[in-house]
Amino acid sequence: MVRVTLDAAMKTPTSGRLLIFAMPLQDAKAAAHGGPLETVDTSPFEPTKTAVAAMEVAHIAPGGTVRMDADEVAFPRPFSQLASGEYAVQAVLDVNHNYNYGGRGEGDLVSKVVTVRLGGAHAATPSLTLSRVLPARMQPWKLPARASEAARKRMQPSLDAAKAHSREIDFVSPALTAFWGRPIHMRGWVLLPPGYAEHKQRHYPTVYFTHGFSANLTTLTYSAGSAWKRMADGETPPMIWVFLDQSGPTGTNEFADSVNNGPWGTALTTELMPKLESEYRMDGRPSGRFLTGHSSGGWATLWLQVRYPKIFGGTWSTSPDPSDFHDFTGPDLYAPHANVYRKPDGSPWPLVRDKGKVIATFEQFAKLERVLGPYGGQMASFEWVFSPRGKDGRPEQMFDRATGDVNPKVVDYWRDHYDIAHRLQAHWSQLKPYLNGKIHVYVGTADTFYLDGSAHKLKAVLDRLGAKASVDFIPGKTHFDIYAKGGDREWLHKEIAWQMYRVARPKAKIPLEYTATTP
């Protein structure tokens, strides 16, 4: 049992998902690197190091107390079964139910870290007080406070310049508003290239970029700052960049029309893009519209190219989420009696690796996500995009969270609506004239989340179809270092930009160092 009190100094009652984090004291001190012990948290990259318990709190008033049974909803095991010892313990009230997407954030309430004996016969009852409201971790166009002075000097000028050349997108979509019955905003940034104001008759190729899982409107400003610096330094050609925020309460929307999230693809292609092209000097021809993104953004941009092949002139998708569900980060969802937790031989399916070492299994990842909350996690996010709607109004689960068993009826729906490789096979005769030469995928052979497996499946399909496409596997690269070559951490960004420019402006002079080779 855990007792949690809302500090009497708080002004109003509140609610949310109450999370209790407990880490062995020595591990917590090591994580603090000699500094004050102020935070106890969990991580999908070390899923079992921290125990987490949760419960929903519908109402707690200032000075009020709630009691949590830390055995009822917990990971990796009930608190009573923890190894006996001293633990650093902290409470977090996730008031916006978005911890599963981006961790604790603005408006969440936290307690101080306390030391408590847990596990065994002499376990104590932790008493925690929610006494502090967290501020926003990051501000648009500003480096976080933890950034070093060297990083600040190197990066802040580019952020300042990018901010001066950017315009915020805040567009209320008629299609999404009609679906939800309330105003739904599409958000992002338009970054104008150097020389845009001076060359008033010039139109520019336009790149639509969207981010990966856990990113948002604020983190997109860092992408804009990097893109500006590359253009200002002459390392990439002058183009208009549109940075699209695809984050929301249910995770990432992938800019796919969904019975759960609404018509995000329709809203982008028929509402937002025409509006932007009416306001900015964008090259509105298909040969002047491009897509790129990483991870979830890689899947979204690959999907947009395949779903709307006549609109875009090409996608350059890096480390995309699974594009062939015969390999969904490993498990074959179409196999008889498919299970995402266990292989046919009973061994666990790995999900996260680093330098050849498995650091999290699919089961650990999914069960931790279930404790952290029902919304916004990576697995739940897939279901909000891909699944049919259940009788309770929520998306049907693709797999049983307790057992890992796959629901074949839900997978059939996923296949027919969102399996990119399946779509290519089923409709290639119609897609070929508009897709040939437009699909470009990059993935590391050591991808952190095993996404190279699905990319191999996609490449096999494209090869069988005789498609003009490139799926490049970069030796030794992970999910997080795929853009680097030698000492240049942004080499692939530059290569992709010049490849786009060759399509939009075939007569333009291209630097010799940026050829179609991989790093």
Side-chain angles (χ1 to χ4, degrees), residues 437-464:
K438 292 184 177 182
I439 293 175
H440 312 270
V441 175
Y442 299 88
V443 63
T445 60
D447 185 84
T448 310
F449 304 102
Y450 296 86
L451 294 171
D452 50 316
S454 186
H456 275 292
K457 299 286 187 185
L458 175 66
K459 184 178 187 304
V461 168
L462 290 166
D463 289 347
R464 285 197 300 271

Side-chain angles (χ1 to χ4, degrees), residues 25-55:
L25 183 59
Q26 292 307 311
D27 289 339
K29 288 181 177 179
H33 301 292
L37 190 50
E38 297 178 339
T39 301
V40 181
D41 208 344
T42 187
S43 167
F45 299 100
E46 293 181 299
T48 61
K49 178 172 282 190
T50 305
V52 189
M55 68 175 287

Side-chain angles (χ1 to χ4, degrees), residues 299 302 318-334 349-351 353 419 421 441-462 464 471-474 477-479 482:
W299 190 93
L302 184 58
T318 61
S319 308
D321 287 346
S323 52
D324 185 324
F325 299 155
H326 285 95
D327 188 319
F328 196 77
T329 66
D332 179 356
L333 301 186
Y334 303 125
W349 277 112
L351 183 67
R353 62 182 169 180
D419 186 318
V441 175
Y442 299 88
V443 63
T445 60
D447 185 84
T448 310
F449 304 102
Y450 296 86
L451 294 171
D452 50 316
S454 186
H456 275 292
K457 299 286 187 185
L458 175 66
K459 184 178 187 304
V461 168
L462 290 166
R464 285 197 300 271
V471 181
D472 292 321
F473 299 91
I474 306 178
K477 294 296 185 180
T478 72
H479 203 69
I482 191 171

Side-chain angles (χ1 to χ4, degrees), residues 161-173:
K163 180 181 179 181
H165 291 84
S166 294
R167 307 293 182 266
E168 186 171 2
I169 300 169
D170 186 356
F171 173 70
V172 178
S173 161

Side-chain angles (χ1 to χ4, degrees), residues 6 51 86 96 103 113 162 164 190 198 234 239 258 303 320-321 357 365 391 412 481:
L6 180 62
E86 295 292 308
N96 295 312
V113 176
V190 175
E198 293 78 12
M239 298 190 287
S258 162
W303 170 256
D321 287 346
K357 179 183 177 181
F365 194 97
K391 293 180 180 178
D412 285 347
D481 64 1

Side-chain angles (χ1 to χ4, degrees), residues 159-306:
L159 287 170
D160 293 340
K163 180 181 179 181
H165 291 84
S166 294
R167 307 293 182 266
E168 186 171 2
I169 300 169
D170 186 356
F171 173 70
V172 178
S173 161
L176 291 167
T177 295
F179 178 88
W180 285 102
R182 56 184 173 84
I184 299 297
H185 295 249
M186 303 183 77
R187 306 294 300 275
W189 308 95
V190 175
L191 174 66
L192 303 174
Y196 183 88
E198 293 78 12
H199 301 288
K200 297 186 182 299
Q201 303 304 313
R202 186 175 179 181
H203 284 67
Y204 294 84
T206 302
V207 184
Y208 290 87
F209 171 98
T210 191
H211 56 74
F213 191 83
S214 81
N216 54 36
L217 184 67
T218 294
T219 60
L220 282 173
T221 61
Y222 303 119
S223 299
S226 296
W228 170 264
K229 187 177 189 305
R230 292 191 295 268
M231 289 192 292
D233 291 348
E235 294 179 324
T236 58
M239 298 190 287
I240 296 174
W241 285 76
V242 180
F243 294 93
L244 296 167
D245 181 10
Q246 64 157 329
S247 66
T250 65
T252 51
N253 62 59
E254 307 294 322
F255 290 101
D257 287 2
S258 162
V259 296
N260 302 300
N261 285 333
W264 281 91
T266 295
L268 174 65
T269 57
T270 68
E271 295 175 349
L272 181 58
M273 286 174 54
K275 176 176 172 57
L276 295 177
E277 289 179 355
S278 72
E279 295 178 356
Y280 302 99
R281 298 195 307 276
M282 297 176 171
D283 184 342
R285 299 170 297 175
S287 61
R289 295 194 196 107
F290 305 112
L291 296 156
T292 190
H294 183 70
S295 195
S296 292
W299 190 93
T301 50
L302 184 58
W303 170 256
L304 285 168
Q305 183 63 69
V306 172

